[in-house]
Amino acid sequence: MSPEIGLQALLVQREGEIKESQQRISESRVEVARFIDEYDAAQQKLRRVVVDRLDGIDDIRARIEEFTQDCTSELLTFASGGRQSESSRKASQPLCEALAERGVVMRSVYLDSVYNDPGSVEHLRWLVAHGDQVRTTASLPSRMLVFDRTHAVLPIDPDASAAGALVLRGPGLIVSLTALFERVWEDASPFSGGRPQSRESGSEELSAQEQAVLQLLGEGLTDEVVARKLGVSVRTGRRITADLMGRLGARSRFQAGMRAAQLGWLSGSEAG
């Protein structure tokens, strides 16, 4: 074979190998680009879950006002803490008026202990008169606002809601928070405009607040945490606990829980 023919054949073979290599490189670039796109999409989705951290009451109120202005359909609220401060009441009223004017559905759950403060009761009457659907319950997990089922604002520390808050969003997270709200709302009592009827002296039936105390103590929570969830002072919380233990003839909280369950005083329990 002449050198010319042999070398031409080798060059053709080499060109084919180079083309195959270039094809593999091109395919690799496509795969790398696809991986980068998927990674960026995952990171963006992750960043959308926790949107922002708010520090201080002024920052929190400014963001709540911003979300209120953008709210178009629904606002869900857990208002923990019992007594509502005068500054909090004044800050919420213009926001409520703005939402009512736009036809936004407002549903709020407050603590039963709000009835202990005349100023807070008057504020709730004002809210109801301006379109807010208000209910009360014995205890709440935390303060919470959910705007249009897209954004939620929760305190970083439930014991100090003015210290800071998180703005959260993301379908999975918001669905869970709204489901929690619906469960609490379903069990809560419509705001009556006055103090709920108290348990009659000598009655074995528990008030909603007393049942909440037993359930919270059964979870192993401290007096301080129980009082916060009820929106009462630690002293009042301890008085309720002592009264329940006396009625049950119990020497310890564990024994009180056992006897309450046997008597059917706890939700879902049956008399033994």
Side-chain angles (χ1 to χ4, degrees), residues 33-48:
R34 184 182 296 115
F35 173 79
I36 292 173
D37 288 342
E38 291 175 355
Y39 176 81
D40 288 343
Q43 290 299 304
Q44 290 174 7
K45 183 177 180 180
L46 180 62
R47 284 193 292 268
R48 285 199 297 268

Side-chain angles (χ1 to χ4, degrees), residues 82 111 113 138-139 209 212-213 216 225-232 237 240:
L111 290 172
S113 57
S139 67
Q209 191 176 67
V213 168
L216 294 170
V225 175
V226 170
R228 173 179 60 77
K229 287 184 175 292
L230 296 178
V232 300
I240 297 172

Side-chain angles (χ1 to χ4, degrees), residues 125-147:
R125 291 196 190 105
W126 186 95
L127 292 175
V128 172
H130 287 76
D132 196 350
Q133 302 173 45
V134 177
R135 294 188 179 187
T136 65
T137 189
S139 67
L140 285 171
S142 174
R143 185 174 291 272
M144 180 177 75
L145 296 165
V146 180
F147 298 87

Side-chain angles (χ1 to χ4, degrees), residues 75 90 178 188 194 210 217:
L75 172 61
K90 287 183 177 179
T178 53
E210 289 170 333
L217 291 176

